[in-house]
Amino acid sequence: MSLLTASHICKSFEKTEVLKDISFNLNESNVLSIIGSSGSGKTTLLRCLNFLEKADKGRILVNDKVIFDAEDESYLKPAVLRKNRLHFGLVFQSFNLFPQYTALKNVMLARMLQAKNDPDYKLHKKEINEAIEAEAVALLSQMGLKDRMMNYPHQLSGGQCQRVAIARALALKPDILCFDEPTSALDPELTGEVLKVIRELAEQKATMIIVTHEMAFARDVSDEVMFMDNGYVLEQGPSAEIFENPKEERTKQFLSRFISGNL
């Protein structure tokens, strides 16, 4: 059974069609990598899934429950959006950490804000905050940042900042973790440490969608690969099939320099 179903997603900015009838399924514990040239619509698709953009048409389901229908305005109510957005965690290209907070506080912040909406928060504030902190410490330790928790973003490398951002996304326990070019802002030397963390999450059977230009990584870590071009999904299938035997000519052209021996 599919954990995520996106059905006939369309999105335009003014007169420019960016997403053209996108449909796909993602099973629980699977990793889907989305590849394609810059401008093909990959990031816009992620932003529509996370409700940072509103799709003009289409539906999104999680566990067979509709969480967005472009034809139903009730899904756009702020409270409904906030609730449904929790199904997804998003790790941005540029970290987007709060510079005034430590790594630990950056990871704790969203959970603390969420907890304050709990009617029992005032009665159990100390215990709840301690539990949130313990979870944040465990996540940062998992990211290899146990000795950097009290550092501020400007005291961390780009790779460390991105690992804090991954921990922050995981803190809300999303059903699906989304990465938007997680290594594009990093030096090649730092890229490996972030990819290592994502590989470990894949081994732990986290359900993930990864927009990436790292083709070797996409091939090795993904269960499924989706190739987008000019707003369309031109080809989708098992990772080995897409990389070793692409069917569409445009996919072959895009992957040609990797298939020829660079992977």
Side-chain angles (χ1 to χ4, degrees):
M1 186 179 76
S2 295
L3 174 61
L4 170 67
T5 299
S7 179
H8 303 292
I9 304 296
C10 298
K11 177 65 180 176
S12 296
F13 293 101
E14 296 182 351
K15 295 182 179 180
T16 302
E17 285 186 280
V18 179
L19 300 178
K20 305 170 183 176
D21 200 25
I22 304 291
S23 295
F24 69 93
N25 296 316
L26 176 63
N27 292 332
E28 187 173 3
S29 302
N30 278 10
V31 178
L32 169 67
S33 284
I34 305 177
I35 62 173
S37 302
S38 297
S40 59
K42 306 183 301 295
T43 293
T44 300
L45 177 57
L46 274 194
R47 290 177 67 85
C48 286
L49 293 175
N50 285 272
F51 310 118
L52 295 175
E53 299 286 352
K54 176 190 174 292
D56 301 323
K57 296 179 182 178
R59 302 169 86 212
I60 300 170
L61 294 82
V62 173
N63 282 323
D64 284 338
K65 179 184 177 183
V66 177
I67 63 168
F68 173 80
D69 187 331
E71 296 183 359
D72 188 340
E73 292 291 324
S74 67
Y75 289 103
L76 300 178
K77 293 179 179 178
V80 176
L81 281 174
R82 281 196 299 271
K83 179 183 176 183
N84 288 334
R85 189 175 281 136
L86 293 174
H87 289 292
F88 301 90
L90 179 58
V91 179
F92 299 90
Q93 297 180 31
S94 53
F95 326 137
N96 288 359
L97 300 178
F98 292 103
Q100 71 271 36
Y101 296 136
T102 63
L104 182 62
K105 187 66 179 289
N106 264 283
V107 176
M108 292 175 60
L109 189 60
R111 280 283 288 114
M112 291 180 72
L113 292 172
Q114 187 184 48
K116 288 178 181 178
N117 292 322
D118 188 322
D120 295 329
Y121 180 74
K122 289 184 178 179
L123 290 174
H124 305 287
K125 180 178 178 181
K126 184 174 184 291
E127 297 94 323
I128 291 172
N129 286 347
E130 286 176 351
I132 291 171
E133 181 172 347
E135 289 174 5
V137 167
L139 283 169
L140 286 168
S141 299
Q142 181 185 343
M143 296 297 121
L145 296 170
K146 188 174 182 179
D147 60 343
R148 297 288 186 179
M149 289 187 286
M150 302 315 294
N151 287 79
Y152 291 86
H154 75 273
Q155 297 171 318
L156 301 172
S157 70
Q160 289 168 339
C161 284
Q162 193 61 296
R163 283 183 279 156
V164 173
I166 294 171
R168 178 180 60 184
L170 288 170
L172 290 172
K173 300 178 175 64
D175 295 306
I176 302 149
L177 190 57
C178 301
F179 294 89
D180 183 15
E181 295 287 2
T183 61
S184 66
L186 303 178
D187 296 333
E189 195 171 305
L190 300 175
T191 294
E193 65 188 54
V194 173
L195 296 183
K196 179 176 179 288
V197 167
I198 300 174
R199 286 181 193 273
E200 289 170 353
L201 291 171
E203 290 168 3
Q204 294 163 18
K205 299 300 181 182
T207 308
M208 295 186 283
I209 301 175
I210 306 169
V211 168
T212 183
H213 284 117
E214 300 281 347
M215 293 298 106
F217 173 72
R219 179 197 62 186
D220 295 342
V221 80
S222 307
D223 298 287
E224 294 272 323
V225 172
M226 178 192 296
F227 174 64
M228 291 185 66
D229 185 60
N230 193 32
Y232 292 101
V233 175
L234 286 194
E235 193 162 355
Q236 180 179 353
S239 174
E241 184 178 304
I242 296 297
F243 280 99
E244 295 170 16
N245 188 31
K247 295 179 175 59
E248 297 292 328
E249 190 58 38
R250 181 68 186 94
T251 316
K252 293 176 183 177
Q253 292 172 1
F254 179 79
L255 291 173
S256 60
R257 66 184 186 277
F258 305 106
I259 293 172
S260 65
N262 291 340
L263 276 174

